[in-house]
């Protein structure tokens, strides 16, 4: 697209599609405001940009100038950032249209988008189920066809898990590939902005634009933007590792069948397939649920009614003000994680939990290095242990909810890139499989995903 | 691992977070279950030799924990009315409290 009239038409059509998708409660931006903003952006966009006229929705924990950034929280209700995320600025410079802010679990803490102060997001194919989380609004909008791509964020799988549950593509880049400037911090050593798209190509195009160095973020590597690979004819020369720990005896048989079919297709495309061991996988979820809350308890200290957030109490005592504001402003999952994080960092428990988890993280990262050092290029695993679950099913059981991330958290702990793509249906619901790549080798990972996407019967029962 | 109501309240005070009396029992029960679950990492033998894994650019690797002077845009002497040999000169306490001190 290079014609301003086409960009304007795209803006109006996007607004219409977002109105149709309203029943999902996936977009937090009011329709009138969104329509106006899309038209204004289309008029200002540069026709020479590689994403000219492409609407991209943005998760509500990524700062934008046009819209509020609430992080799905009451404590940031009506918060308008004075600056925008580098990823958003790069999208706009490439001619993309920011298509509103998407619903998410509060401060990206959750796996179902039920923990939003603005109500839960519905699964696009079955309103009684969840779209996954925490980037559930982004995944639902892409799956509903409202936008071709959306930004999400990952701390423990929050892009890939909803992508799997909604039947879209989700990419988590290598830690340091995309600037975190303007991404509201949750677990700073784990957080990365990721992309959800209706195809590998759509998601990869957006990733390519938002990647690359950023002097505003010291954790962003000094690298050029990702160059998109060509779609390969075959997977000849690729060695794909199948980690046995991701296929336990009690894995849902339909999930196993879908993965077996995808692996068979990779072989037919010419890839060599080899079983590998990642022996510390079983400890990844416990490790993650120590480290992430610990980092969150520190990062969320700023929401106290003085620095950020409304004041819920007129008390003269400043500490009472902090406590009331935070107690009233945060939802139950965020409160629980702040308390957990404070607990594992507190005197007497630090060594048993936080320090030990740091060591486990190193061992998990070493597992991956060992596999890659033995000649494996990529790993293939299920993205999630099941398709979309029923709303409310895991709300009262935090550990059951945390286990939704069992196959995704390892890539976050090891800082590796990973992509989830649809590989079939289980009882009519979408399911994703994921490739985990080597650090900064997203191009290889994307090649494999392109090739598999072309042949896998993604809408057929496994 | 069982977390008592008092422990939850103590942690809540550290976290500057109000927890209501009604929320306490469920919170204590859920935290106990989560802590019991995550404590399974202690089944892995201690690995003191393992260096922490830090993602991101090498430039961000942990620096030595050394106390170094913080460079200032202006020296302290430029900010103080009187400054000598690295110290700020202030009136003697006696000037305020009487001659007996």
């Amino acid at each position: 697209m290079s014609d301003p009239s086409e960009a304007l038409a795209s803006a109006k059509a996007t607004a219409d599609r977002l109105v149709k998708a309203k029943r999902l409660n996936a977009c937090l931006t009011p329709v009138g405001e969104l329509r106006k903003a899309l038209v204004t952006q289309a008029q200002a966009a540069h026709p020479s940009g590689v994403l000219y006229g492409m609407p991209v929705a943005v998760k509500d924990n990524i700062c934008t100038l046009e819209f509020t950034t609430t992080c799905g929280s009451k404590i940031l209700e009506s918060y308008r950032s004075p600056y925008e995320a580098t990823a958003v600025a790069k999208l706009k410079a490439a001619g993309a249209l920011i298509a509103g802010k998407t619903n998410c679990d509060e401060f990206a803490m959750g796996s179902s988008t039920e923990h939003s102060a603005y109500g839960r997001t519905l699964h696009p194919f079955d309103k009684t189920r969840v779209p996954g989380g925490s980037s559930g609004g982004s995944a639902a909008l892409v799956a509903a066809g409202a936008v071709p791509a959306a930004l999400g964020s990952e701390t423990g799988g929050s892009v890939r898990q909803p992508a799997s549950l909604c039947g879209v593509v989700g990419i988590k880049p290598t830690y340091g590939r995309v600037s975190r400037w303007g991404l509201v911090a949750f677990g700073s050593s784990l957080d990365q902005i990721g992309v959800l798209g209706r195809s590998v190509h759509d998601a990869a195009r957006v990733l390519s634009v938002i990647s690359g160095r950023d002097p505003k973020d010291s954790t962003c590597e000094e690298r050029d933007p990702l160059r998109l690979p060509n779609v390969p004819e075959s997977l000849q020369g690729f060695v794909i590792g199948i980690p046995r720990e991701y296929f336990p005896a009690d894995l849902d048989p339909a999930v196993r069948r879908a993965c077996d079919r995808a692996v068979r297709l990779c072989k037919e495309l010419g890839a060599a397939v080899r079983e590998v061991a990642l022996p510390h996988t079983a400890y990844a979820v416990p490790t993650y649920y120590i480290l992430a809350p610990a980092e969150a308890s520190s990062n969320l200290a700023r929401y106290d009614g003085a620095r950020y957030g409304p004041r819920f109490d007129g008390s003269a005592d400043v500490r009472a003000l902090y406590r009331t504001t935070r107690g009233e402003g945060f939802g139950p999952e965020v409160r629980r994680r702040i308390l957990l994080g404070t607990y594992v960092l507190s005197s007497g428990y630090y060594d048993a939990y936080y320090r030990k988890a740091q060591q486990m993280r190193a061992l998990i990262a070493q597992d991956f290095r060992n596999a890659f050092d033995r000649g494996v290029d990529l790993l293939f695993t299920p993205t999630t242990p099941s398709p979309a679950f029923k709303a409310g099913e895991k709300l009262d059981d935090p550990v059951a909810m945390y286990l939704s991330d069992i196959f995704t958290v390892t890539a976050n702990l090891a800082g590796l890139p990973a992509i989830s793509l649809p590989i079939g249906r289980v009882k009519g619901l979408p399911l994703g499989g994921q490739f985990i790549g080597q650090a900064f080798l997203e191009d290889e990972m994307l090649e494999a995903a392109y090739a598999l996407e072309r042949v896998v019967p993604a809408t057929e029962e496994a | 691992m069982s977390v008592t109501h008092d422990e939850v309240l103590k942690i809540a005070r550290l976290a500057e977070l109000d927890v209501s009396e009604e929320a306490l029992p469920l919170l204590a029960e859920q935290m106990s279950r989560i802590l019991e679950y995550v404590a399974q990492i202690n089944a892995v033998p201690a690995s003191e030799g393992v260096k922490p894994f830090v993602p991101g650019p090498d430039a961000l690797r942990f620096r030595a924990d050394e106390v170094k002077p913080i460079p200032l845009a202006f020296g302290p002497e430029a900010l103080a009315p009187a400054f000598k040999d690295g110290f700020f000169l202030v009136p003697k306490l006696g000037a305020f409290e009487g001659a007996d001190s």
Side-chain angles (χ1 to χ4, degrees):
Chain A
M1 183 184 315
S2 60
D3 183 346
S5 65
E6 283 181 85
L8 199 57
S10 165
K12 289 176 177 168
T14 303
D16 291 343
R17 288 195 302 270
L18 286 164
V19 171
K20 271 191 192 164
K22 209 167 177 295
R23 66 181 177 87
L24 299 175
N25 192 32
C27 183
L28 294 176
T29 309
V31 172
E33 183 188 343
L34 187 53
R35 195 179 287 279
K36 206 172 148 192
L38 278 166
V39 169
T40 308
Q41 290 178 70
Q43 287 163 340
H46 300 291
S48 58
V50 293
L51 298 181
Y52 182 58
M54 179 178 181
V56 180
V58 174
K59 185 175 178 180
D60 206 28
N61 64 344
I62 299 172
C63 293
T64 48
L65 292 169
E66 292 82 1
F67 311 108
T68 56
T69 299
T70 71
C71 295
S73 180
K74 196 162 97 175
I75 210 163
L76 283 180
E77 189 175 11
S78 74
Y79 172 70
R80 205 168 271 271
S81 170
Y83 63 95
E84 66 186 356
T86 296
V88 171
K90 285 183 174 181
L91 283 178
K92 285 161 71 176
L97 312 177
I98 306 304
K101 303 300 282 292
T102 61
N103 202 2
C104 56
D105 286 297
E106 187 177 7
F107 285 100
M109 296 180 198
S111 307
S112 64
T113 316
E114 292 172 288
H115 292 297
S116 166
Y118 306 101
R120 77 176 181 94
T121 293
L122 311 187
H123 190 283
F125 303 157
D126 179 350
K127 64 183 181 186
T128 66
R129 294 178 187 272
V130 302
S134 62
S135 311
S138 292
L141 282 187
V142 174
V147 286
L151 295 189
S153 71
E154 276 238 3
T155 306
S158 285
V159 164
R160 287 165 290 150
Q161 189 256 18
S164 172
L165 269 45
C166 288
V168 300
V169 171
I171 306 178
K172 179 245 175 239
T174 310
Y175 186 88
R177 171 67 88 178
V178 175
S179 168
R180 296 185 303 118
W181 173 262
L183 168 65
V184 175
F186 159 15
S188 303
S189 76
L190 299 153
D191 295 340
Q192 271 291 276
I193 291 177
V195 187
L196 296 110
R198 63 189 164 184
S199 67
V200 174
H201 186 60
D202 281 335
R205 280 173 73 205
V206 172
L207 175 63
S208 166
V209 165
I210 64 172
S211 63
R213 61 178 61 79
D214 178 16
K216 292 175 183 157
D217 176 9
S218 60
T219 66
C220 190
E221 289 268 0
E222 185 61 32
R223 284 173 189 261
D224 290 335
L226 173 69
R227 291 181 66 171
L228 290 182
N230 294 322
V231 180
E233 289 298 315
S234 76
L235 287 179
Q236 204 77 43
F238 274 90
V239 179
I240 297 174
I242 310 296
R244 64 178 74 103
E245 294 79 4
Y246 287 68
F247 296 87
D250 60 352
L251 181 67
D252 182 332
V255 174
R256 186 186 297 276
R257 279 198 302 277
C259 288
D260 286 348
R261 181 170 68 184
V263 170
R264 196 174 64 245
L265 290 168
C266 288
K267 280 185 192 167
E268 286 171 15
L269 285 164
V273 174
R274 182 191 294 177
E275 190 177 272
V276 296
L278 299 172
H280 296 95
T281 300
Y283 303 106
V285 174
T287 299
Y288 175 83
Y289 279 97
I290 292 171
L291 297 180
E295 294 187 23
S297 70
S298 169
N299 275 326
L300 271 63
R302 71 193 74 171
Y303 305 102
D304 56 12
R307 288 169 289 180
Y308 286 91
R311 295 178 180 186
F312 285 93
D313 182 42
S315 170
D317 175 350
V318 72
R319 300 194 75 177
L321 165 75
Y322 292 165
R323 287 172 186 168
T324 315
T325 297
R326 289 160 63 76
E328 295 276 324
F330 290 135
E333 180 63 21
V334 172
R335 283 204 298 268
R336 196 155 51 225
R337 293 206 199 185
I338 289 174
L339 291 173
L340 269 175
T342 308
Y343 186 92
V344 299
L345 288 175
S346 63
S347 172
Y349 299 107
Y350 179 90
D351 283 345
Y353 290 100
Y354 186 76
R355 201 168 130 80
K356 185 75 189 181
Q358 286 278 46
Q359 292 173 352
M360 287 308 306
R361 183 178 188 177
L363 294 172
I364 289 163
Q366 186 60 49
D367 282 352
F368 282 105
R369 279 197 297 276
N370 291 344
F372 292 133
D373 285 349
R374 287 177 192 140
V376 167
D377 300 307
L378 293 164
L379 300 164
F380 181 81
T381 80
T383 309
T384 48
S386 72
F389 48 89
K390 289 273 187 189
E393 187 181 314
K394 300 184 181 186
L395 263 184
D396 294 331
D397 187 349
V399 173
M401 185 73 90
Y402 298 169
L403 286 168
S404 314
D405 303 333
I406 193 163
F407 299 142
T408 52
V409 287
T410 47
N412 302 82
L413 290 167
L416 298 173
I419 182 169
S420 175
L421 70 159
I423 57 166
R425 294 278 165 99
V426 172
K427 296 188 188 100
L429 293 165
L431 183 84
Q434 72 173 337
F435 286 113
I436 302 174
Q438 301 178 56
F440 295 103
L441 292 184
E442 279 92 347
D443 47 352
E444 282 187 4
M445 184 182 86
L446 290 172
E447 278 188 58
Y450 274 134
L452 180 60
E453 183 187 46
R454 283 201 318 185
V455 296
V456 76
T459 55
E460 281 179 23
E461 201 68 18
Chain B
M1 183 74 223
S2 184
V3 182
T4 64
H5 292 194
D6 282 347
E7 280 175 311
V8 174
L9 289 173
K10 183 184 159 201
I11 292 297
R13 273 195 301 277
L14 287 172
E16 303 286 13
L17 198 61
D18 257 356
V19 172
S20 66
E21 281 292 330
E22 309 86 75
L24 255 184
L26 181 64
L27 204 45
E29 186 261 321
Q30 287 178 333
M31 281 186 67
S32 300
R33 268 197 293 146
I34 295 167
L35 288 166
E36 189 178 338
Y37 172 72
V38 300
Q40 64 178 285
I41 61 169
N42 288 307
V44 180
S47 34
E48 289 303 322
V50 179
K51 285 185 184 168
F53 171 73
V54 186
D58 285 341
L60 284 180
R61 301 283 180 249
F62 290 129
R63 293 187 298 268
D65 188 13
E66 295 165 356
V67 179
K68 289 181 181 169
I70 300 167
L72 300 171
F74 306 99
E77 65 279 5
L79 307 168
F83 188 79
K84 190 179 174 189
D85 299 333
F87 293 97
F88 295 102
L89 301 186
V90 294
K92 284 186 179 174
L93 277 178
F96 299 105
E97 294 176 3
D100 57 322
S101 63

